[in-house]
């Protein structure tokens, strides 16, 4: 059966809003785990975390700024609706990541737990956003574009790019931090790769 022959189940506006809020809150909580344990992830979030550690400026500020150049690709390749949703999602993650620092306090979180739980939270949050035609900008836009146009799994595309970013991190972070970050990146991307397959989810926004 072809994709176009499958019945469509459009999302309601309230479903999109709920997914946007919950997805970005999950991602922001995952980022909080990572900043507490001084870990790194991939994509533009990884760049923002690294700059946060190096400069002391908040993750949210860097995350919002780094994504600005990618909106042109989003508009050109994915359309205005997708781009506007992505812009809102990035703004919410930037805001929630700063607010969560004050909402949640960690007395002691083992690095392994922070890596796996933080990666899982970010992966689940991104999956929710993907299924409502939203991304978190940057590499996510490229990964979704390649999946939509060429059938390449978004999770596997991002996993390869994330590997490059983590290799760069070897020059800035202790080896054990990078090792835990790799485990977190694997958790994040496996969640997306195993659950975000073309044709499996047919809800549309």
């Amino acid at each position: 059966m072809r994709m176009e022959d499958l019945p469509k189940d459009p999302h309601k506006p309230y479903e999109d809003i709920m997914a946007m809020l919950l997805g970005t809150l999950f991602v922001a909580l995952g980022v909080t785990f990572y900043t507490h344990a001084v870990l790194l992830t991939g994509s533009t979030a990884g760049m923002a975390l690294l700059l946060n550690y190096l400069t002391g400026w908040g993750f949210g500020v860097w995350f919002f700024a780094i994504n600005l150049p990618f909106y042109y690709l989003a508009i050109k390749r994915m359309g205005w609706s997708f781009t506007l949703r992505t812009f809102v999602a990035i703004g919410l993650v930037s805001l929630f990541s700063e607010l969560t620092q004050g909402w949640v306090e960690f007395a002691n979180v083992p690095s392994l737990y922070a890596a796996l739980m933080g990666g899982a939270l970010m992966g689940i949050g991104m999956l929710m956003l993907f299924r409502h035609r939203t991304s978190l900008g940057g590499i996510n836009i490229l990964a979704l574009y390649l999946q939509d146009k060429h059938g390449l799994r978004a999770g596997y595309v991002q996993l390869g790019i994330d590997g490059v970013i983590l290799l760069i991190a070897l020059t800035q972070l202790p080896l054990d931090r990078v090792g835990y970050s790799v485990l977190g990146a694997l958790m994040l991307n496996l969640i997306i790769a195993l659950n975000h397959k073309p044709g499996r989810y047919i809800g549309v926004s």
Side-chain angles (χ1 to χ4, degrees), residues 172-184:
Q172 302 296 331
L173 297 178
L175 184 60
D176 65 325
R177 302 294 95 183
V178 177
Y180 288 124
S181 298
V182 170
L183 291 177

Side-chain angles (χ1 to χ4, degrees), residues 30-40 53 106 109-115 173-174 176-178 180-181:
V31 168
T32 302
F33 272 102
Y34 271 41
T35 54
H36 179 80
V38 192
L39 302 177
L40 197 67
Y53 301 147
F106 296 110
V109 179
S111 297
L112 178 60
Y113 180 82
L173 297 178
D176 65 325
R177 302 294 95 183
V178 177
Y180 288 124
S181 298

Side-chain angles (χ1 to χ4, degrees), residues 21-201:
L21 290 174
L22 290 177
T24 54
L25 279 168
F26 278 16
V27 172
L29 182 57
V31 168
T32 302
F33 272 102
Y34 271 41
T35 54
H36 179 80
V38 192
L39 302 177
L40 197 67
T41 187
S43 192
T44 49
M47 300 176 197
L49 281 169
L50 186 57
L51 289 169
N52 174 33
Y53 301 147
L54 294 177
T55 67
W57 291 14
F59 165 86
V61 175
W62 283 116
F63 185 62
F64 188 83
I66 289 172
N67 276 291
L68 291 175
F70 289 94
Y71 291 123
Y72 171 75
L73 176 62
I75 293 171
K76 185 177 180 180
R77 299 296 187 182
M78 310 298 285
W80 276 101
S81 177
F82 176 89
T83 303
L84 290 174
R85 292 168 187 267
T86 296
F87 180 82
V88 172
I90 290 170
L92 288 175
V93 168
S94 299
L95 174 64
F96 288 152
S97 64
E98 297 300 318
L99 293 176
T100 303
Q101 300 289 338
W103 290 341
V104 179
E105 293 184 5
F106 296 110
N108 179 37
V109 179
S111 297
L112 178 60
Y113 180 82
L116 296 178
M117 180 56 69
L121 285 167
M122 286 189 281
I124 293 169
M126 290 168 62
L127 181 63
M128 293 175 68
L129 295 173
F130 284 1
R131 289 184 168 181
H132 289 258
R133 295 294 295 168
T134 306
S135 83
L136 289 179
I139 306 305
N140 300 146
I141 294 175
L142 178 61
L144 283 174
Y145 170 74
L146 291 175
Q147 174 164 291
D148 289 344
K149 297 298 183 180
H150 303 289
L152 299 176
R153 297 274 184 85
Y156 293 147
V157 171
Q158 185 154 332
L159 182 61
I161 298 173
D162 288 352
V164 174
I165 294 174
L166 289 173
L167 286 175
I168 297 173
L170 284 170
T171 65
Q172 302 296 331
L173 297 178
L175 184 60
D176 65 325
R177 302 294 95 183
V178 177
Y180 288 124
S181 298
V182 170
L183 291 177
L186 287 171
M187 174 66 77
L188 186 160
N189 287 287
L190 282 174
I191 287 175
I192 297 174
L194 295 175
N195 293 280
H196 191 64
K197 299 179 180 180
R200 169 170 288 183
Y201 186 80

